[in-house]
Amino acid sequence: MIVAIDGLAGAGKSTVARRVSERLGFRYLDTGAMYRALTWLAMQRGVPLDKGERLAELAALNPVTFDERGRVFITGTDVTASIRESRIDRLVPVVARHPPVRRVMRVRQRELAGTVVVPDADVKVYLVADTATRARRRMAERPGIGADALATDLRLRDESDAAQMRPAPDAETIDTTELHVDDVVARIEELVRARQPA
């Protein structure tokens, strides 16, 4: 069974997805980290972020890998911490919006997951939360960034993501503003159990 968890930046996607995978014994595939790793590499190599075909070629030649602890590698380099920097937050939507890049990444995601990613997911969840809550969560993740800078980054990210960040028609939208992580995980677990054969 495939569970796709998407949503707004700071709504809790990664945290919730990891908990769900642990609770249900599913494999966790952080597709966002793959785009972040490519963004990091493009910046290291000086590849212009508006050149979709060049970025797709870079992605194809340098597949992202994960180890058993969930660390992220590209070109043999552990980029787990580097890809969570605010500059990557700002620029990853630019890279991810290119159709050629998305095509290459989907191929890699199928290799890692062993099946089709997202469009044919059995359970689709879209997480939202109010802006203040999302900014507070991001601040906890990135304590070195000031509140004003973080709020600006989040606003720019929302604007950049707006064209693509829409829930699928059959996705269950969950507002995590007032919910604890465990509450969100429990809601998703209920959705999964309901879809599993008796």
Side-chain angles (χ1 to χ4, degrees):
M1 174 176 283
I2 300 173
V3 180
I5 300 175
D6 208 344
L8 301 174
K13 298 186 295 290
S14 297
T15 303
V16 167
R18 283 193 190 92
R19 294 275 187 90
V20 168
S21 65
E22 289 167 6
R23 181 89 65 91
L24 299 176
F26 289 0
R27 180 174 182 182
Y28 170 57
L29 178 59
D30 186 351
T31 56
M34 299 175 72
Y35 289 101
R36 286 173 172 274
L38 176 61
T39 303
W40 177 88
L41 184 61
M43 293 169 69
Q44 294 289 312
R45 299 275 180 90
V47 176
L49 302 187
D50 60 342
K51 303 296 183 185
E53 292 293 346
R54 287 185 62 187
L55 290 167
E57 183 179 338
L58 187 67
L61 292 173
N62 301 280
V64 178
T65 60
F66 299 86
D67 70 8
E68 66 282 351
R69 291 164 54 192
R71 291 181 303 183
V72 188
F73 294 82
I74 192 164
T75 64
T77 304
D78 181 350
V79 295
T80 310
S82 302
I83 63 174
R84 300 297 171 186
E85 294 173 1
S86 60
R87 64 188 183 128
I88 303 293
D89 287 346
R90 286 193 297 272
L91 295 173
V92 69
V94 178
V95 172
R97 75 164 62 111
H98 295 294
V101 170
R102 298 183 79 83
R103 282 195 293 272
V104 171
M105 287 300 193
R106 274 197 295 271
V107 170
R108 181 61 180 150
Q109 289 159 12
R110 288 189 189 106
E111 290 171 356
L112 292 170
T115 187
V116 178
V117 174
V118 180
D120 296 331
D122 303 282
V123 175
K124 299 176 189 174
V125 177
Y126 191 84
L127 303 182
V128 299
D130 67 34
T131 305
T133 300
R134 293 189 292 127
R136 191 173 66 249
R137 289 172 182 165
R138 276 293 163 103
M139 202 159 179
E141 293 171 358
R142 298 161 172 76
I145 304 173
D148 290 343
L150 203 56
T152 300
D153 282 354
L154 203 57
R155 178 178 55 78
L156 293 172
R157 177 74 185 269
D158 284 351
E159 290 171 0
S160 184
D161 284 349
Q164 286 162 331
M165 293 305 290
R166 297 189 189 94
D170 56 344
E172 179 85 12
T173 298
I174 300 176
D175 188 334
T176 69
T177 304
E178 302 291 339
L179 297 176
H180 186 273
V181 172
D182 289 339
D183 298 325
V184 181
V185 171
R187 292 268 296 275
I188 296 172
E189 189 174 0
E190 286 176 16
L191 295 171
V192 171
R193 301 289 186 209
R195 296 290 176 89
Q196 288 178 325

